[in-house]
């Protein structure tokens, strides 16, 4: 019975890591929507209107704002998980001379590493099974976006895009309408 439970949990973890199960997708969408508070939506729209004034789509300050909010409200704590994984890998390398498989929990995160041989690799996964970082001794650590991060950025970009288009349409409509004459002045020459 325990073997079946273990196998089921491994299958569920691998599906979350590679296939993004419906449960992971649903939780990601909910997390992304929760992070898009009224205040954040107002900031997104304000950036879009400001960018529309100069006709530059997603300027640097918008990208920095949305990434900072994503990091604060949506992203997993990758740096802590990567630090713990690095410590575990370094300890394992000092303890043995040959290659081995290291699989362990890092607090709420988990890690699998293949140590030794030609290349050392590792995967760090979030509690829901999604891979959030990967290591290769040839290239170092690489962050991997979660479904919630994708969902958040997608939803934020939709809000931004709609606000930018609306602002550009208003600007274009205003530039095409004829200028009104100031009150009391006429544009006609009444000389005979």
């Amino acid at each position: 019975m325990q073997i079946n439970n273990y196998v089921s949990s491994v299958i569920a973890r691998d599906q979350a890591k590679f296939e993004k199960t419906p449960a992971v997708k649903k939780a990601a969408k909910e997390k992304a929507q929760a992070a898009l508070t009224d205040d954040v939506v107002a900031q997104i729209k304000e950036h879009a209107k400001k960018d529309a004034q100069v006709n530059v789509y997603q300027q640097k300050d918008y990208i920095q704002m949305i990434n900072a909010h994503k990091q604060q409200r949506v992203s997993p704590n990758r740096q802590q998980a990567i630090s713990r994984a690095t410590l575990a890998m370094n300890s394992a390398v000092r303890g043995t001379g040959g290659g081995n498989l290291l699989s362990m929990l890092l607090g709420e995160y988990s890690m699998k590493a293949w140590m030794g041989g030609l290349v050392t690799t590792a995967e760090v996964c979030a509690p829901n099974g999604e891979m959030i970082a990967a290591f290769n001794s040839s290239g170092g650590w690489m962050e991997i976006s979660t479904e919630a991060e994708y969902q958040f950025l997608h939803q934020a970009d939709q809000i931004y895009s709609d606000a930018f288009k609306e602002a550009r349409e208003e600007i274009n409509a205003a530039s095409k309408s004829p200028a009104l004459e100031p009150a009391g002045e006429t544009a006609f020459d009444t000389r005979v």
Side-chain angles (χ1 to χ4, degrees):
M1 187 68 156
Q2 287 180 342
I3 292 175
N4 288 339
N5 289 338
Y6 174 75
V7 170
S8 295
S9 69
V10 168
I11 290 170
R13 182 201 65 219
D14 287 347
Q15 281 182 322
K17 183 170 39 173
F18 297 113
E19 298 174 18
K20 309 292 185 197
T21 64
V24 168
K25 287 181 180 182
K26 181 180 179 200
K29 190 171 188 173
E30 290 170 358
K31 186 171 188 174
Q33 288 173 339
L36 286 167
T37 62
D38 292 341
D39 181 50
V40 173
V41 170
Q43 288 179 43
I44 292 169
K45 289 180 178 180
E46 188 60 37
H47 277 278
K49 289 177 185 174
K50 187 179 88 174
D51 293 353
Q53 291 294 321
V54 293
N55 200 20
V56 177
Y57 195 80
Q58 292 189 355
Q59 292 192 76
K60 184 178 176 181
D61 57 339
Y62 166 74
I63 294 169
Q64 289 172 338
M65 181 276 298
I66 206 65
N67 281 332
H69 191 74
K70 176 189 73 163
Q71 185 74 23
Q72 184 180 39
R73 303 285 181 175
V74 181
S75 297
N77 190 346
R78 280 187 184 87
Q79 292 310 312
Q80 180 185 26
I82 288 171
S83 294
R84 288 182 176 185
T86 301
L87 286 172
M89 289 166 53
N90 289 340
S91 294
V93 168
R94 284 193 303 270
T96 63
N100 63 355
L101 171 65
L102 176 65
S103 182
M104 64 187 309
L105 291 176
L106 308 167
E108 61 184 320
Y109 299 95
S110 62
M111 175 191 76
K112 276 188 184 176
W114 293 266
M115 311 294 294
L118 296 175
V119 178
T120 296
T121 62
E123 298 174 351
V124 175
C125 296
N128 68 355
E130 281 186 281
M131 190 185 327
I132 61 168
F135 175 81
N136 181 310
S137 57
S138 300
W141 284 102
M142 177 178 71
E143 294 183 1
I144 298 170
S145 294
T146 64
E147 183 69 21
E149 290 170 311
Y150 283 126
Q151 286 288 330
F152 174 77
L153 291 175
H154 175 72
Q155 291 176 30
D157 285 350
Q158 287 297 311
I159 294 165
Y160 180 96
S161 177
D162 293 344
F164 186 89
K165 286 177 187 173
E166 183 179 317
R168 287 303 305 160
E169 287 171 1
E170 289 174 7
I171 291 166
N172 290 338
S175 70
K176 290 179 182 175
S177 65
L180 298 175
E181 293 292 326
E185 295 182 25
T186 60
F188 300 106
D189 188 358
T190 55
R191 291 182 281 166
V192 183

